[in-house]
Amino acid sequence: MSSKILITGGTGLVGTRLSEKLAQMGHQVTHLSRRANPHAKFPAFKWDIEKGEIDPKALEVDHIIHLAGAGVGDQKWTERRKKVIYDSRIDSTKLLHDKVKEAGISLKSFLSASAIGYYGMDTGDQLLAEDSPGANDFLAQVTADWEKAAEGFEELNIPLIYLRIGVVFSSKGGALVKMAQPVRFGVGAALGSGKQYISWIHIDDICAMIIWLLENKKEGIYNGVAPNPKTNSEVTKAIAQTLKRPLFLPPVPAFVLKMMLGEMSSIAQGGNKVSAQKLVDEGFEFQFNDIRSALSDIYEKGV
C-alpha cells in the first residue's frame, strides 16, 4: 500500500538513495528544504529551523524519516562548527515535534536518525548492543540529546524508532570516498593504530533497513550497522584489493592525524564494534554481510 513519506535530509547521501528506493516501491516521497520546490523530482516543502517554521502542508503524511544534520566530518571542529552540528540535530527534531503536536497529526511512525557515536569515540573491541551505555564525549552528548529530543513523539502516541547509523559505505560520498581516495593514488594507509573498529553498512542495506522498520511497525532503538565490523586496517586492505591498488605504506601516526584534523581526529583514531544482532534476531535480512562483497557491489553499480 502506498504511503506518504516526508524525509528531512532528503538530498543527503542516505536520503537521496532512500527517496529513490521508496519511489520505486510506489510511495509518495516529499522533502523538507530551506527552499520550497514543488516541481522537484521529490517535491520540497520549506522549513526554517532558526525561525521555527515549517510549511503545514509538509506534515500531511503517514511517516516522517528524520535524517537532517550537519556533517560531522565535513569541517574542523571549531566551537562554531560544533554548535552547528549540535543545533542542526536537536533544534530540527524539537521543531518537528512541536509542529506535529500543534497540528494534531497522527503519524504512523517517526524514524529519527541517530548514530553509533552514542557509545563513545573509541570503545575498543567491546561488542556494543542497543542497551550498552552511552559515553560523555562531544558526539556521544550530541547523539544522546538528539534521541532525547525525539522522545516527545512517544508522548503523542506516535510509534518512534531510533536508528543508530554506523559508517555508511557508498561511492557517492561519505567515509568510503575519503578512505578510497589515497588508495586510488597508491598512497593509502591505515589510520592511527589501524586496530580501531569500523562498524560499516552498505548504503542499500541501510535504506532497506529503514523501509523494513516502517513496514514491520517497529519501535525502539536499533543499530544501523552490518553484522561484521572490521578494523580500520582490514577495511583499508579490502578497499585496496577491490580497487586493485597496492598498499605498502605504514599507518598514519596519531600525531599527524591530530595536526591535520584537530579534535576531529578522534573520529579517525577511535572506533566502535557495534552489534547488529537485534535486527538479525527480529528477521531483517542483510544483503551485504561481507566487506569485500559490499565494496565490489558498490563500485560495480556506482551506488
Side-chain angles (χ1 to χ4, degrees), residues 164-187:
R164 292 176 180 161
I165 300 175
V167 181
V168 178
F169 277 0
S170 166
S171 66
K172 299 287 183 66
L176 180 58
V177 170
K178 293 179 180 179
M179 293 182 73
Q181 189 172 16
V183 174
R184 288 182 184 278
F185 291 101
V187 291

Side-chain angles (χ1 to χ4, degrees), residues 38-69:
H39 305 297
K41 181 179 180 180
F42 302 107
F45 293 93
K46 183 178 180 181
W47 71 334
D48 189 318
I49 299 171
E50 290 186 5
K51 292 182 179 179
E53 298 174 351
I54 296 178
D55 185 336
K57 294 180 181 178
L59 302 176
E60 296 173 1
V61 294
D62 301 306
H63 306 273
I64 295 178
I65 299 172
H66 182 35
L67 304 176

Side-chain angles (χ1 to χ4, degrees), residues 15 33 35 53 75 107 127 145 163 176 206 225 230 241 265:
S33 175
R35 292 184 181 180
E53 298 174 351
Q75 300 177 25
L107 297 170
L127 187 62
D145 289 353
L163 185 58
L176 180 58
I206 195 68
V225 297
K230 295 294 182 182
Q241 289 169 353
S265 65

Side-chain angles (χ1 to χ4, degrees), residues 132-197:
S132 295
N136 56 11
D137 56 53
F138 169 63
L139 286 185
Q141 190 61 58
V142 169
T143 310
D145 289 353
W146 195 5
E147 293 185 3
K148 187 174 182 179
E151 286 178 2
F153 285 93
E154 293 180 331
E155 298 170 7
L156 302 178
N157 294 315
I158 293 172
L160 176 61
I161 304 161
Y162 306 91
L163 185 58
R164 292 176 180 161
I165 300 175
V167 181
V168 178
F169 277 0
S170 166
S171 66
K172 299 287 183 66
L176 180 58
V177 170
K178 293 179 180 179
M179 293 182 73
Q181 189 172 16
V183 174
R184 288 182 184 278
F185 291 101
V187 291
L191 303 179
S193 69
K195 297 178 181 179
Q196 66 273 38
Y197 275 90

Side-chain angles (χ1 to χ4, degrees), residues 1 3 58 87 105 111 123 126 138 180 209 233 235-236 248 254 270:
M1 183 180 294
S3 296
D87 291 349
I105 294 168
L111 186 147
T123 48
Q126 177 187 1
F138 169 63
M209 187 183 296
S233 179
V235 172
T236 305
F248 52 84

